[in-house]
Amino acid sequence: MDPLTSRTLRGIWSPTLLPLDADDAIDFGRLEESLEAVLGSGVHGVYTNGTAGEFHTLDEGEYDRLHALVAARCAAAGVPYQLGASHPGGRLSLDRVRRAAALRPGAIQVVLPDWLPLRPGEVVAALRGFAAAADGVPLVLYNPPYAKTQVTPALLARIGEEVPQVVGLKVPAVEVAQGLTDRFAVFVAGHALATGRRGGAAGSYSNVACMSPAGAVRWYAQMAADPRGAADVEARLRGFLDRHVAPLAADGYSDPALDKALCAVGGWSRTGTRVRWPHRWVPAEQVPALREAALTALPELLTDPLSTD
């Protein structure tokens, strides 16, 4: 596909969640089924190997098989896609970047090497190395709140000047990139997108799309057509998350477990709530009550037909 730019990278991007069997093997049949549902939902793109995709658990064979599937299906559907080449180790990240680049996605998502925090010059060196390995495919820097190396506005400005191949950012809030939204496509958390767009955010790698890909797209359109109504949806969405999902986080469930629980709440996919060892997953028996609460709070997001198990 054509390389993405800071101007063309926009909208609701849906993660690729891993349906897992009891032995932690990826069920690629269920994964393909869910991918087809996402591709028919109207999302602006699909991405792999973010936190929701449990990138840190994939072996290299799984990584390549996942990317071959996503690239083929997205290309056939005419839906843009980004491939995540992230790994906690820098040298393994470079290998993943090279293999992702061979599939010519719209962009390659990367995280900074994770075991030791990086100094600013090391951040720039890492991104330059990734850019060289990407062979002309642009990069998106994925820097969530729990990354050991947090990019500051000053460091982002330096990256913008010294690593032109970086076209997009995933950051905790648009304020981190204040003054840089013309240089980068800045992506924020899905549930904060209505507020983020007012500050210049381009879109989200979306936890809302975990719950309802089509609902997230409808909400994104509402942000332009009915900003006040979209802000009301965000307030109710935050309220639902605060009341029903934040307690699960406080109980120690990881972000991938929460994203899969939201997917189960939406009911559009048979992904299931299981995450890979050694992390816990939200028990399936908790999903009906969460779904009832979500339907009460956010009926306009959850009008997609429920899948059958």
Side-chain angles (χ1 to χ4, degrees), residues 22-270:
D23 61 356
D24 266 5
I26 300 170
D27 184 335
F28 278 92
R30 280 191 287 147
L31 191 153
E32 186 169 0
E33 175 188 293
S34 295
L35 179 58
E36 292 300 319
V38 167
L39 293 174
S41 69
V43 296
H44 301 94
V46 171
Y47 71 101
T48 66
N49 293 342
T51 305
E54 299 174 84
F55 74 86
H56 55 289
T57 73
L58 293 178
D59 66 33
E60 300 313 290
E62 292 168 333
Y63 175 88
D64 290 335
R65 184 176 177 184
L66 170 66
H67 279 185
L69 172 63
V70 170
R73 293 294 182 269
C74 289
V79 175
Y81 62 99
Q82 297 175 54
L83 300 180
S86 301
H87 190 280
R91 294 186 65 82
L92 288 174
S93 292
L94 281 175
D95 288 340
R96 289 186 170 190
V97 169
R98 294 184 187 104
R99 301 200 318 270
L103 296 171
R104 311 314 293 178
I108 296 173
Q109 288 188 9
V110 293
V111 297
L112 297 169
D114 189 59
W115 183 245
L116 298 173
L118 302 181
R119 304 295 297 170
E122 293 170 326
V123 169
V124 172
L127 292 173
R128 282 176 169 165
F130 293 151
D135 189 29
V137 178
L139 301 179
V140 171
L141 174 59
Y142 191 80
N143 194 239
Y146 37 80
K148 286 183 180 175
T149 302
Q150 286 294 310
V151 292
T152 63
L155 181 52
L156 284 177
R158 180 176 173 184
I159 291 167
E161 293 176 357
E162 299 187 28
V163 194
Q165 297 90 341
V166 178
V167 301
L169 308 169
K170 165 63 183 294
V171 290
V174 72
E175 289 77 14
V176 175
Q178 200 65 48
L180 296 169
T181 53
D182 287 337
R183 168 60 182 84
F184 299 109
V186 178
F187 275 51
V188 297
H191 61 274
L193 184 54
T195 297
R197 283 196 74 187
R198 293 196 297 271
S204 67
Y205 301 118
S206 179
N207 59 342
V208 182
C210 290
M211 187 163 60
S212 172
V217 172
R218 289 192 296 270
W219 183 39
Y220 181 80
Q222 185 185 23
M223 292 173 201
D226 177 16
R228 185 172 297 179
D232 175 67
V233 172
E234 181 175 310
R236 287 184 280 121
L237 176 59
R238 287 175 181 265
F240 166 74
L241 295 174
D242 287 345
R243 286 190 293 272
H244 300 284
V245 177
L248 296 172
D251 195 30
Y253 290 103
S254 66
D255 278 9
L258 300 179
D259 287 330
K260 284 186 171 179
L262 289 176
C263 179
V265 165
W268 61 273
S269 164
R270 296 192 303 125

